[in-house]
Amino acid sequence: MHFGTGAVSVSGVGLPSVCAAGEDEPMPSVRDTDPQDDLSDGRDESASERADRNWNEVLQELRVMQTGTQILTGFLLALAFQPAFSDLNDGQRAIYLALVVLSALSSIVALAPVALHRMLFQRRAKTQVVAYGHAALVTALVTVSVLLIGVVGFVFDVVVDRPAAIVAVVALALVILTLWVAAPLAIRARLTNGVHR
């Protein structure tokens, strides 16, 4: 199924012919024709446009992460005001306080890119802000994973017992390592090797 043999005009841009998927003739792309585009990645955008898009992606990831962190922080802070809180032993109180500090640290790290963006606003530093945001988000993912594992272990320790807490911590750590580390690394390796499945 052939759609054309000559140049086709789309918004004033002359394009070569286009073939249906599965035919031998390659389907040309309008992308990456802009002289300002410094990457051949299938997107027709300048470095500034790419930085803007990447910043929007960082902000979206921040929103998702911050919501989960806020829920965990609220849960932890509410525990201190429950009548059963006085029944905790010294070890459980120490773990609880460590989790509260870790929760605050997670929020601070996740919000650091926003603070940097405010400080560098309109200084043409979006690329640096995006790189900083990426590093902060990776760090925040680590702190949030430790926080999640810690909260689950804490709850199992208080509600059931220490052996149950250890089992829950190990199981959750394996799930997080699988979904947050192993699977993304496997996908990245496939993409690096040119396999797009």
Side-chain angles (χ1 to χ4, degrees), residues 73 76-77 80 94-106 147 151:
T73 302
L76 287 169
L77 294 177
I95 291 171
Y96 168 78
L97 291 173
L99 290 171
V100 168
V101 170
L102 189 58
S103 179
L105 182 64
S106 295
L147 178 62
V151 167

Side-chain angles (χ1 to χ4, degrees), residues 63-124:
R63 287 183 191 105
V64 170
M65 184 178 299
Q66 195 60 26
T67 301
T69 304
Q70 287 173 343
I71 291 168
L72 278 174
T73 302
F75 166 74
L76 287 169
L77 294 177
L79 282 179
F81 301 101
Q82 301 301 314
F85 188 78
S86 60
D87 296 340
L88 297 180
N89 63 39
D90 290 340
Q92 290 169 332
R93 283 190 185 153
I95 291 171
Y96 168 78
L97 291 173
L99 290 171
V100 168
V101 170
L102 189 58
S103 179
L105 182 64
S106 295
S107 293
I108 291 167
V109 170
L111 290 173
V114 176
L116 180 69
H117 183 257
R118 284 295 91 210
M119 296 297 285
L120 299 179
F121 186 66
Q122 294 186 340
R123 295 191 184 247
R124 299 185 182 274

Side-chain angles (χ1 to χ4, degrees), residues 33-74:
T33 58
D34 186 343
Q36 299 288 328
D37 192 356
D38 59 344
L39 284 181
S40 179
D41 61 355
R43 296 176 189 263
D44 196 14
E45 60 189 2
S46 67
S48 294
E49 291 168 332
R50 183 177 311 102
D52 288 339
R53 178 178 52 81
N54 288 339
W55 177 243
N56 286 331
E57 291 175 10
V58 166
L59 286 178
Q60 185 59 32
E61 292 170 13
L62 278 171
R63 287 183 191 105
V64 170
M65 184 178 299
Q66 195 60 26
T67 301
T69 304
Q70 287 173 343
I71 291 168
L72 278 174
T73 302

